[in-house]
Amino acid sequence: MNYNYNVIEKKWQDIWDAKNVFAATNDYTKPKFYALVEFPYPSGQGLHVGHPRSYTALDIVSRKRRLEGYNVLYPMGWDAFGLPTENFAIKNHIHPSIVTEQNVARFKAQLKSLGMSFDWNREINTTDPNYYKWTQWIFLQLFKKGLAYKKEMNVNWCTSCKCVLANEEVVGGVCERCGSEVVHKVKSQWMLKITEYAQRLIDDLDKVDYIDRVKTSQINWIGRSTGAEVDFTTTSGDTLTVYTTRPDTLFGATYMVISPEHPYIEKWADKITNMAAIKDYQTEASKKSDFERTELVKDKTGVQIEGVRGINPVNGKEIPIFISDYVLMTYGTGAIMAVPAHDTRDWEFAKKFGLPIIEVVKGGNVEEEAFTDCDTGIMVNSDFLNDLSVEDAKEKIKEWLEKEGKGHSKVNYKLRDWVFSRQRYWGEPIPIVYCEKCGYVALPESELPLTLPDVESYEPTESGESPLANMTDWVNTTCPRCGGPAKRETDTMPQWAGSSWYFLRYCDADNLDALAAKEALDYWMPVDWYNGGMEHTTLHLLYSRFWHKFLYDIGVVSTPEPYSKRTSHGMILGENGEKMSKSRGNVVNPDDIVNEYGADTMRLYEMFIGDFEKAAPWSSSSIKGCKRFLDRVWALQDKLIGGDAFRPELEIAMNKTIKKVTEDIESLKFNTAIAAMMALLNDIADTGSVNKAEYKALLIMLNPFAPHMTEEIWELQNFGGMLNETKWVTYDPDKCVEATVEIAVQLAGKIKARIQVPADAGKDEILAQAKADPAIAALIAGKTIIKEIVVPGKLVNLVVK
RNA sequence: GCGGAAGUGGCGGAAUGGCAGACGCGCCGGUCUGAGGAGCCGGUACUUCGGUGUGUGGGUUCAAGUCCCAUCUUCCGCACCA
């Protein structure tokens, strides 16, 4: 009797669907478990083998939790707004919503063919007006609280997408999505004040169980630094404020640098005597793309401002001021004090421009390189700071600055506000109108959703305006406040908008009156376990924490954090160990694997491939081992005998394996859980038969991994009901250890013999038996034992002289 | 440069400081076959059979893949953040 996976897998998928067996119930009295995986962007390429790695993992956890009696919510949906769909639509003259619909249908069929136990009743789609109504609603709340604002600013502009990008979307100076050059443009953009939440986004990481690398990345990305703002007076009479993390080195400041975009350049226009040179430099700097700027990182450039000099507040010395693009207008105050002796960049700049280098922290050779160590140095050449440690000097100078009114302590973050508008069609319209009289006015909530109008062309315009700008009928409207003529905002929201709150919608997916009912949110939230890719750590994961905290502040949700636990899977690489990509020709299509081996084998293999958290290369031969294992489990049906309890010779193996599998699933060690079941199968096979109790236990353990085949065997053997409705197996902790164990006997750490002792043998008994072993006895004869170590169940180590 | 992860058989990978290489792939041999690129059974780090082996060099320990110090290499993330 062969196992025909094509037929059997389809059969069970249909039964699960028809009986709705994986639906989460609204019985709020039951213990709940909310498992979440990142909902995919339904691209034209279909599912990637990377998707099922994450989905299968939490599918296993979810299936296990259902057997353990939890009310499990394991939902799925579509993050369907986005550029590839829009570009495809432009090229093929099809409406993006039709493209989306087709892609979603394909993805859904693929996910079903893998036997994922998603609750499809709660399927969501970010492009559904009933969904994005609430995305717009959240935006309006942000706007009302002053956390969404419009600002004329220098933005990242992708030359190919013809669209602005958030800082998080610029990778290595190029567009994260298409890899094209990113240049700077000044545009008026909607911004979200994520910076207002910077400190809480750091602090509340203490409240959640995220894997460490996620926490560290977020902390580094937010980039908190502590220091001081110091006011330098200038010969122009203006005060130039700088930010520094090393106020202790103030006596070593020998010049100042301001960013090329610094407003003082205009202010000082009549005092600067070399304005032409300054203007030239500003033009050069503004022309550089991010890519060029990072390429030229090592070569410092700049121009000294002639006509205005700074005055060091600690010693009254006049020092020159430069402009240089190594100082960024977007961080701190856009101006720095330069201490070449103790900052690498300042040192390079000073060497190039022949500026004085004054040592104020002893410990290095500042003529050779900047001495930046804060732990060992001692202050010198610094008047009242002399002989202090760097730490003490920082405190003392801050006190002095406060007292003199020349500065104060200051915390800065690298995190910037989130650029929230995109000049594209296929996104959520921003529900704001602009009125000459009233300015930016929120649309009344009763007018939501503000739906996307049909346009003739989705092409972005060269001028950088959204395709919506051409829809004059739609754009021209009346002001909700004064009733006068007004224009709608034509930019749309970025793709990250819809995914910033989607986990809330699953709690109550069809609600028309709220983003979700409060009771539903209170019951299901927070998400108990969220698994997803590391690439979203500083994008989606940070953005959604920010939105959730805002919703918490306005009373929509009751938990300050959206996710209790965050784990992350490694990438599945191509067979050659490189990242899978079309251009490398190493892409594995999940459909092909399902056709050739079946979904159960595919699932099992992806979990067996290696450490779940690490990248692992695909291997088309290794997958056969998983198929073989399932075939052998199937074939056990021919060797089935009666018996309602484990046979004595398998009792230990059974209990041990149940314990191992139960524990390993919870700690993401799917590979060793499977290895344990394989070992158990080998043990069972050695006995030449399997009894009913043993078979049932094996099937239950294996069910989350290979749900179709186990369900089929369960039915064929009349084990009663559906397997997915039984209970998870339990083990007896007393029966996880063999009656006798092998003990290694070492002499000075080298193994010389092995002995068999009863598992409950005491130290003395083990020691006596070890010494009595003929090989050991011979080796220790006539020698003095100076140390005896006995580790029960493990080994004996004797040190002799 | 800064931050993170990781270096273990031919390969993917296992090992609360306590028997390195579980489990699987591959390979070798056997068996069954008319046949097998199927199934089943056995073997599989190196070795001069004393031992030696977890990138390299030190250290702590009765005992180190695991802890500490140094060093090399690889991958990933950030990158002029003052």
Side-chain angles (χ1 to χ4, degrees):
Chain A
M1 184 167 52
N2 264 330
Y3 161 49
N4 187 339
Y5 53 84
N6 278 321
V7 175
I8 292 170
E9 290 180 349
K10 182 75 177 57
K11 167 186 157 184
W12 286 102
Q13 285 155 17
D14 290 346
I15 293 173
W16 295 332
D17 248 357
K19 296 197 171 176
N20 222 0
V21 295
F22 302 123
T25 74
N26 288 329
D27 177 357
Y28 297 157
T29 61
K30 285 176 77 176
K32 64 103 181 177
F33 181 74
Y34 186 175
L36 185 68
V37 287
E38 286 159 357
F39 63 162
Y41 173 67
S43 73
Q45 275 100 56
L47 209 65
H48 182 273
V49 285
H51 290 117
R53 194 176 194 191
S54 171
Y55 301 166
T56 306
L58 283 205
D59 192 53
I60 289 166
V61 177
S62 294
R63 285 174 178 272
K64 172 170 175 271
R65 288 293 165 92
R66 287 192 198 93
L67 297 183
E68 288 172 335
Y70 286 88
N71 184 17
V72 172
L73 173 54
Y74 187 42
M76 185 39 71
W78 317 104
D79 189 14
F81 275 127
L83 269 181
T85 300
E86 183 168 341
N87 289 338
F88 183 88
I90 291 168
K91 209 165 153 190
N92 299 285
H93 307 286
I94 308 175
H95 195 282
S97 65
I98 296 169
V99 180
T100 299
E101 204 179 314
Q102 290 166 351
N103 290 346
V104 163
R106 168 135 186 251
F107 264 73
K108 194 169 174 178
Q110 286 182 302
L111 290 178
K112 286 200 170 185
S113 81
L114 285 165
M116 296 295 164
S117 67
F118 294 127
D119 179 358
W120 288 107
N121 302 312
R122 294 169 187 251
E123 177 180 353
I124 59 170
N125 185 325
T126 55
T127 67
D128 177 352
N130 283 330
Y131 180 90
Y132 71 67
K133 171 180 179 178
W134 300 105
T135 312
Q136 293 173 329
W137 182 85
I138 296 169
F139 180 86
L140 286 184
Q141 311 312 310
L142 286 160
F143 179 71
K144 286 174 189 167
K145 296 282 178 191
L147 292 168
Y149 62 98
K150 199 152 191 186
K151 189 185 171 194
E152 187 82 19
M153 65 171 304
N154 201 355
V155 293
N156 306 300
W157 177 264
C158 172
T159 47
S160 162
C161 301
K162 297 191 176 70
C163 186
V164 303
L165 302 176
N167 291 323
E168 290 84 349
E169 294 171 299
V170 182
V171 175
V174 300
C175 174
E176 176 217 32
R177 191 168 291 284
C178 70
S180 306
E181 193 188 22
V182 172
V183 296
H184 289 277
K185 258 195 179 187
V186 174
K187 285 189 73 73
S188 177
Q189 297 298 314
W190 283 100
M191 306 287 292
L192 297 186
K193 267 193 204 164
I194 189 170
T195 50
E196 193 127 305
Y197 285 75
Q199 192 59 48
R200 282 167 68 191
L201 287 168
I202 294 175
D203 292 344
D204 288 358
L205 286 172
D206 287 342
K207 293 184 180 150
V208 291
D209 174 22
Y210 290 7
I211 51 172
D212 283 341
R213 54 197 172 124
V214 169
K215 285 191 184 182
T216 352
S217 301
Q218 289 208 345
I219 289 168
N220 290 343
W221 184 262
I222 296 167
R224 179 191 153 102
S225 75
T226 54
E229 281 189 351
V230 183
D231 299 330
F232 280 64
T233 49
T234 62
T235 56
S236 75
D238 298 305
T239 299
L240 181 57
T241 303
V242 302
Y243 173 69
T244 177
T245 54
R246 296 292 306 274
D248 53 298
T249 62
L250 196 45
F251 284 91
T254 53
Y255 64 102
M256 301 177 81
V257 187
I258 63 174
S259 152
E261 297 88 26
H262 201 283
Y264 273 25
I265 295 168
E266 273 312 302
K267 197 173 177 185
W268 290 341
D270 56 336
K271 297 195 177 70
I272 297 175
T273 56
N274 60 337
M275 205 55 186
I278 300 282
K279 288 267 183 219
D280 281 352
Y281 188 82
Q282 284 182 310
T283 316
E284 279 302 304
S286 71
K287 272 198 296 201
K288 281 185 196 169
S289 68
D290 272 5
F291 186 69
E292 287 166 325
R293 237 171 127 142
T294 46
E295 279 295 281
L296 298 169
V297 122
K298 286 178 192 85
D299 197 20
K300 297 274 180 296
T301 59
V303 180
Q304 184 176 345
I305 295 174
E306 311 278 357
V308 183
R309 290 168 75 80
I311 297 163
N312 191 329
V314 283
N315 55 20
K317 277 190 193 154
E318 275 193 22
I319 53 176
I321 304 172
F322 288 78
I323 68 168
S324 173
D325 63 5
Y326 88 86
V327 174
L328 310 172
M329 197 57 223
T330 45
Y331 185 78
T333 61
I336 63 158
M337 64 174 206
V339 185
H342 305 290
D343 181 281
T344 313
R345 294 149 304 174
D346 297 345
W347 190 88
E348 284 166 13
F349 191 89
K351 277 286 171 191
K352 182 161 174 184
F353 287 84
L355 295 156
I357 298 172
I358 299 176
E359 180 180 58
V360 291
V361 184
K362 214 170 176 56
N365 178 357
V366 299
E367 285 309 313
E368 289 298 312
E369 59 174 349
F371 177 67
T372 55
D373 187 350
C374 292
D375 298 325
T376 60
I378 296 295
M379 304 306 298
V380 291
N381 299 327
S382 296
D383 197 332
F384 58 89
L385 297 180
N386 282 342
D387 302 326
L388 293 176
S389 70
V390 168
E391 275 318 300
D392 293 343
K394 277 182 181 172
E395 287 316 306
K396 189 153 184 186
I397 189 74
K398 280 186 201 169
E399 283 165 25
W400 184 86
L401 288 167
E402 296 270 1
K403 198 180 79 204
E404 300 285 319
K406 290 178 175 175
H408 54 269
S409 295
K410 171 83 181 171
V411 172
N412 259 322
Y413 302 91
K414 287 191 214 176
L415 185 70
R416 321 258 172 89
D417 276 345
W418 177 6
V419 181
F420 199 68
S421 30
R422 299 291 182 275
Q423 295 66 45
R424 298 295 273 194
Y425 173 77
W426 196 227
E428 299 89 345
I430 293 175
I432 298 282
V433 301
Y434 180 72
C435 166
E436 290 285 343
K437 259 189 0 214
C438 312
Y440 293 106
V441 180
L443 223 56
E445 287 174 16
S446 59
E447 287 183 31
L448 298 184
L450 170 61
T451 52
L452 272 171
D454 283 335
V455 298
E456 279 167 30
S457 161
Y458 314 110
E459 298 263 9
T461 59
E462 282 301 330
S463 67
E465 274 192 297
S466 158
L468 291 176
N470 295 327
M471 296 291 300
T472 43
D473 286 354
W474 185 80
V475 172
N476 292 319
T477 182
T478 50
C479 173
R481 190 175 298 162
C482 72
K487 285 186 188 302
R488 287 190 198 281
E489 172 60 58
T490 58
D491 283 358
T492 53
M493 298 187 198
Q495 200 187 351
W496 312 108
S499 58
S500 291
W501 70 281
Y502 76 113
F503 45 91
L504 299 175
R505 189 64 175 171
Y506 285 134
C507 298
D508 189 14
D510 300 318
N511 199 315
L512 293 174
D513 307 316
L515 57 81
K518 193 72 168 45
E519 331 55 282
L521 292 173
D522 286 349
Y523 174 71
W524 287 113
M525 290 300 291
V527 171
D528 294 286
W529 190 338
Y530 191 16
N531 186 74
M534 277 306 287
E535 70 276 15
H536 289 127
T537 303
T538 54
L539 289 159
H540 157 67
L541 202 68
L542 198 60
Y543 293 152
S544 57
R545 288 184 61 220
F546 159 46
W547 274 35
H548 195 79
K549 287 189 173 306
F550 169 70
L551 292 172
Y552 174 72
D553 290 346
I554 64 169
V556 174
V557 296
S558 308
T559 60
E561 283 288 333
Y563 322 117
S564 303
K565 172 173 176 167
R566 169 74 178 190
T567 56
S568 205
H569 55 280
M571 240 192 300
I572 292 187
L573 305 170
E575 202 132 11
N576 54 2
E578 291 172 24
K579 197 174 166 180
M580 267 192 205
S581 74
K582 257 196 211 160
S583 58
R584 291 191 180 90
N586 58 356
V587 174
V588 176
N589 181 344
D591 292 343
D592 296 343
I593 304 301
V594 171
N595 285 332
E596 198 177 341
Y597 296 100
D600 284 338
T601 301
M602 163 95 177
R603 292 167 60 106
L604 199 70
Y605 175 62
E606 289 216 357
M607 294 299 100
F608 188 61
I609 195 167
D611 184 334
F612 181 71
E613 301 200 59
K614 289 190 199 135
W618 186 268
S619 163
S620 46
S621 54
S622 277
I623 192 170
K624 288 177 188 152
C626 291
K627 178 76 165 69
R628 238 170 249 162
F629 167 66
L630 291 181
D631 284 343
R632 290 177 69 204
V633 173
W634 177 262
L636 277 185
Q637 289 180 92
D638 300 334
K639 299 183 176 144
L640 183 59
I641 58 174
D644 293 326
F646 303 147
R647 289 170 292 168
E649 66 268 37
L650 283 170
E651 200 169 32
I652 305 288
M654 291 301 306
N655 278 286
K656 248 165 66 179
T657 309
I658 294 167
K659 180 174 195 287
K660 175 104 180 121
V661 173
T662 303
E663 291 170 355
D664 281 1
I665 288 176
E666 296 302 325
S667 48
L668 291 175
K669 288 158 84 180
F670 305 106
N671 52 339
T672 49
I674 294 167
M677 288 188 281
M678 287 172 165
L680 176 65
L681 176 68
N682 290 340
D683 289 345
I684 292 174
D686 285 345
T687 70
S689 59
V690 63
N691 85 7
K692 198 171 154 183
E694 294 150 7
Y695 207 16
K696 277 173 125 173
L698 176 61
L699 292 174
I700 293 169
M701 279 190 277
L702 187 55
N703 175 259
F705 296 83
H708 311 87
M709 191 192 81
T710 47
E711 193 77 76
E712 177 72 10
I713 298 172
W714 195 268
E715 184 186 65
L716 285 172
Q717 301 306 326
N718 286 314
F719 285 159
M722 277 201 291
L723 178 47
N724 70 74
E725 289 169 346
T726 57
K727 282 206 159 49
W728 185 250
V729 270
T730 52
Y731 59 90
D732 181 346
D734 296 335
K735 289 180 180 159
C736 291
V737 205
E738 304 281 353
T740 59
V741 288
E742 190 181 77
I743 298 274
V745 185
Q746 301 180 332
L747 242 54
K750 305 280 180 213
I751 293 163
K752 298 293 178 186
R754 292 164 203 281
I755 55 172
Q756 298 290 329
V757 301
D760 55 359
K763 285 193 178 191
D764 294 343
E765 190 183 344
I766 295 171
L767 197 56
Q769 208 179 318
K771 287 180 188 165
D773 182 88
I776 299 300
L779 285 163
I780 60 175
K783 294 186 175 154
T784 322
I785 297 174
I786 54 174
K787 196 149 196 175
E788 296 168 338
I789 291 108
V790 182
V791 183
K794 300 278 184 187
L795 54 68
V796 171
N797 190 11
L798 303 175
V799 185
V800 294
K801 202 158 65 175

